Amino acid sequence: MKQPFKWDYNSDQPYQLKDRAYKKKMRMKNFFSLIKTYLSTLLLPIAYILIPFDKRRKIDTKDFFALSVNLDKQPLLTPQLIDELDVKNILIRVPLWEVDKISEYVEFCKSLSTCNIFINILQDKEHIDDRELLKKDLETIFENLSPYSFEFQIGSTINRAKWGFFSVNEYLKFFYVAHKLRDEKFQNIKLYGGGVIDFEYHFSAHTLFNTLHVKYDGYTSLLYVDRRGAPENRQMWFNLTNKISLLSSLLNLSFKSRNRLYITETNWPISNTAPYAPTSEFECVDEDSYASFMLRYYILALATQKVERVYWHQLIASGYGLIDERDGVTKRVAFDVFKTMLEFLSGSKFISLNVEDELYTFTCSKLHDTIEVMWTLKFDKAVDFDESRLFYTKTGISHHEKSILITQSPIYIISEKQ
């Protein structure tokens, strides 16, 4: 099936729309929906005020750490890499314009049958405009993939015109087709909605407060913070933790969704990888910073105790993934960082996050150990202990030291419970 908007296979996203006249025409067509979206901004101060009343949940860390994989990126090698990482939760993108490849997606899911699979159904303009076609192809996807997954995200990146939607109303009508089909024929599956990218919560508010007969079994966000540099940096006074808390509070206010939040995409683009990087070189970071930022993102998100799952986007992507495939298959530093993170933190119990003079200390327990993950933002700091301590670098290399230098690269300090 031909996709109306041109797809960039290097960066795994649509190309920017160049036709300004077309974009203007479509925005005028959706004018009243756009007005509703910007009026929805008025809900955000209410959600902000109610953040203290949005209680933390007990997050199962065995389900928290997750990873995205693509059919078109080394499908035969992917199961081996997944086994090596020992990651149990994965996301697979299934574009509606590739419904004719459904048998390949079935085989891909079979090869990853030991994992919990989350299907992200990507839209195109043809399916947005033709609801009968949408219903037919959604039914094909549900019939074939529901034996391997019971969770489906309907649509993605809904607040970017290049992805096909020109208004939230268009998205809601799109989701309604999936919702109605599920209720009629596929009651065993769960449908996740939202799919707003970046810190643009007026779009999120509009999806959560609407008059259509739709309800989400869970809510998704593509919460990128890469344009602000480090995950602790602020945008309009909000850092990553604040952004998650605001979205969770907004979700808690709505009657349209279960209070179950997934971050389905996040990453940093990597320097000198054009045309594979999804942004300009200005936003790109070196590989070591990429790995540190992502580790810190996961820890900060986990410390909120308001996000059920975070998907690292993604396993194989030359411009932003754990593995670079420009010249064979090359594991980046981030591959070992992700693996080490799962080894120490998956199955752990959150205790606290302490921030003092830009020194971050995340504390959790696992089996008979207390684990502290420490990093600093700007200046290295030496931390002295009464006796030698066992610690690990972010890539899993062990050391015994009495004085430990804390840097922007997180370390794991292990203390055996008495």
Side-chain angles (χ1 to χ4, degrees), residues 47-88:
Y48 179 76
I49 292 170
L50 294 176
I51 285 176
F53 302 97
D54 181 27
K55 295 180 180 179
R56 289 182 171 185
R57 297 177 286 282
K58 291 183 178 179
I59 301 302
D60 184 352
T61 56
K62 290 182 179 179
D63 285 334
F64 179 79
F65 302 95
L67 180 65
S68 299
V69 297
N70 261 25
L71 175 65
D72 65 346
K73 302 286 196 301
Q74 304 286 343
L76 298 179
L77 182 59
T78 293
Q80 300 174 37
L81 296 169
I82 292 295
D83 287 343
E84 183 177 349
L85 289 168
D86 198 27
V87 58
K88 301 302 182 185

Side-chain angles (χ1 to χ4, degrees), residues 14 23 43 48 85 103 126 139 156 159 164 170-171 179 194 266 289 297 341 357 359-360 366 379 400 408 418:
K23 288 193 288 185
L43 293 164
Y48 179 76
L85 289 168
S103 61
E126 186 176 5
E139 187 167 358
S156 180
N159 51 323
E170 278 195 331
Y171 169 70
H179 191 281
T266 191
S289 295
Y297 185 111
M341 178 176 68
D357 193 24
L359 177 65
Y360 285 71
K366 184 174 182 180
F379 303 105
H400 272 93
Q408 296 182 51
Q418 300 297 320

Side-chain angles (χ1 to χ4, degrees), residues 344-345 348-352 362-366 369-373:
F344 284 115
L345 302 184
S348 67
K349 180 181 179 182
F350 170 72
I351 296 175
S352 66
F362 171 90
T363 307
C364 64
S365 62
K366 184 174 182 180
D369 296 330
T370 296
I371 302 171
E372 293 177 301
V373 188

Side-chain angles (χ1 to χ4, degrees), residues 66-71 88-96 98-99 101-113 115-123 137-156 171 174-175 178 188-195 217-220 222 262 264-265 309 311 313:
L67 180 65
S68 299
V69 297
N70 261 25
L71 175 65
K88 301 302 182 185
N89 295 287
I90 62 169
L91 178 150
I92 300 174
R93 284 174 157 189
V94 180
L96 281 162
E98 290 188 352
V99 72
K101 295 182 179 179
I102 193 65
S103 61
E104 295 179 41
Y105 282 99
V106 168
E107 292 305 313
F108 192 44
C109 288
K110 285 181 179 179
S111 72
L112 299 167
S113 60
C115 299
N116 298 318
I117 299 174
F118 185 64
I119 302 294
N120 183 5
I121 298 176
L122 302 185
Q123 72 280 355
D137 288 345
L138 281 175
E139 187 167 358
T140 298
I141 292 172
F142 290 161
E143 282 182 349
N144 284 273
L145 299 186
S146 59
Y148 310 99
S149 173
F150 67 94
E151 294 180 308
F152 292 79
Q153 176 178 324
I154 306 301
S156 180
Y171 169 70
F174 181 88
F175 187 91
N188 62 313
I189 68 174
K190 304 295 184 184
L191 300 183
Y192 285 64
D217 295 305
Y219 199 76
T220 65
L222 294 78
Y262 288 179
T264 52
E265 283 190 23
R309 198 172 295 168
Y311 289 88
H313 184 69

Side-chain angles (χ1 to χ4, degrees), residues 210-244:
N210 64 79
T211 56
L212 282 184
H213 181 63
V214 297
K215 191 166 184 178
Y216 314 120
D217 295 305
Y219 199 76
T220 65
S221 172
L222 294 78
L223 190 52
Y224 286 91
V225 296
D226 55 304
R227 294 181 184 275
R228 304 296 157 180
E232 299 85 359
N233 290 352
R234 294 181 182 271
Q235 177 184 2
M236 296 185 292
W237 303 286
F238 286 82
N239 58 20
L240 173 63
T241 300
N242 303 142
K243 290 176 181 180
I244 290 172

